[in-house]
Amino acid sequence: MRIYRDEDADLSILQGKQIAVIGYGNQGRAQALNLRDSGLQVLIGNRADEYADQARADGFSVLPIAEAAARGDVVMLLIPDEVAPEVLVRDVAPGLAPGKALVFASGYNVAFGFIQPPPGVDVVLVAPRMIGAGVRDLYVAGRGFPSFVGVAQDATGRARDVALALAKGIGSTRAGVVEVTFAQEAELDLFTEQCFGPAFGQVLTTAVDLLVEEGYPPEAVLLELYMSGELAYTLAKIAEMGLVEQTALHSRTSQYGSMSRGMRFLLPELRERMREGLEEIRSGKFAQEWAAEQAAGCPTLEALRQAARAQPLHQWEQELRQALSYAPPPAADLLAGHGASAREGARPGLWMRAGAWLRSLLGRVRGPGEAAPTRPLRAEEVPAVFRAFLARVAKDEALHAFARDRDLTVHYLLEEPDLEFHMRFAEGRVAAGFGAPPVPAQVRLRARAEVLDGMLTGRIPAMRAAMTGQLRFEGEARLALGMQAVQGDLSRLYREARQEVTGAVQ
Ligand code: NAI
């Protein structure tokens, strides 16, 4: 694959041309400033908002989008991908006379068919692999950052030259530019967000979970794995030196240990899950789902955000960040716990509280005096307990109130012993019983009976069950998350049912 450098790009094909940068946000501001500093003629097209004020303050002339697009020979669409199709059709396309160039910083809309570029114009991609602030800072520092360039439509025969010249103008050919298709850029970007990132997150949480379960102090676990910043530093070194070469920075014990054990984690299932994710991206299934979600006003995204914010982890991370940001304490202080407390002033015992929270989140690690685990149910008791539970669910007033403005059917599939039941919350009524639900369920939950019993009695945290694969979920995430509102009521009814059947007080 060819890497394009400064000498492969010719800025002169942009000399005397008017560049219209539409949007003055993360990328718009950074790219416009860099292009101007590279001696090119830049104006800004923006709606009347604070971004337009910033552009004026930076000394640019700012026009309404339609006017700027009409004036530009090169029109760079640097607004959020979600709004680009509408803005393009309404404001930009009428000004795109044949021979002009339309430039994107993301392949998404063209790749998934949300934008059909007008004929007669060059359609190119100049997509920095760098956030806007980095695009500007690195340029000012005389350094570069990599970008992808691509050509979706070559009306003039010079589309690639235009893309490379723009890449040079923003400072990217100093570091190196790679040519890809719009689809490749979009798919790689989504793969990183939807497969690599979440898989990496699961590796991290699995490691925390396992080590705390095995009795290591949570504070030490967090520091060891990522909160000391060593991981971030190592990742930077991997980017700089490569995965193999950076091993030289680690001890020989570390080199031997990690290389001799690496094969153990070649897990075929991981590859399969990534392939599934990639398939969803390439087939356009994700793009269609996301378009429908946006058309509906993003209810699922909002539910997911709320659920994430409701996690104790979110609050702890915020407190911790605040505590560390003023005077990052040396690792030894943090590990000791007390040093960090003294430094925190108004936040005594932060690390100790974080440790207590982690223990409660992950379960199993119990301090003296904490409740002993519930006796596991015998297999023959399971049907009777769930029958009594469902009878209570069907009659409970709090659940009827929950069902008032809802239409939610949940299908539970238990194993060991096998038992199938459902709950339906609709129009202020609650139906619950054994067997499959009378209508298709929006949410299906699978678990061993022992696991659901543990979750409903508080013995097993739901997050941990999901994290370790003991609880499997299928269906609509937004509706499943809504169930959190009645988790306490379901737990209360289950404990009552359990006590009635087993006679044991929890
Ligand atoms: P941004 O969110 O910073 O964009 C803000 C700009 O969009 C403002 O000028 C605002 O006036 C304008 N805008 C917002 N809504 C609008 C609407 N409804 N109508 C008209 N104008 C509107 O966008 P960002 O993050 O700079 O992204 C721009 C492009 O760059 C996207 O294609 C994105 O995928 C791509 N990109 C972004 C990166 C980043 O660092 N954020 C990195 C690489 C590519």
Side-chain angles (χ1 to χ4, degrees), residues 23-27 46-47 49 51 79-81 87 105-106 128 131-132:
Y24 202 72
N26 296 313
Q27 287 296 326
N46 212 91
R47 60 182 186 179
D49 61 15
Y51 295 97
I79 57 177
D81 292 332
V87 173
S106 145
I131 59 169

Side-chain angles (χ1 to χ4, degrees), residues 198-261:
F200 185 68
Q202 291 299 343
V203 168
L204 212 56
T205 47
T206 301
V208 172
D209 183 56
L210 174 74
L211 293 171
V212 174
E213 180 183 86
E214 289 296 324
Y216 294 91
E219 299 83 345
V221 169
L222 289 184
L223 278 175
E224 176 66 35
L225 290 174
Y226 68 104
M227 295 217 62
S228 70
E230 190 185 7
L231 173 65
Y233 191 78
T234 302
L235 286 173
K237 285 292 167 194
I238 290 174
E240 191 184 318
M241 302 170 70
L243 196 57
V244 174
E245 287 303 320
Q246 65 82 38
T247 55
L249 303 176
H250 304 271
S251 70
R252 287 187 345 129
T253 311
S254 156
Q255 291 177 31
Y256 175 74
S258 64
M259 288 191 273
S260 63
R261 267 55 184 174

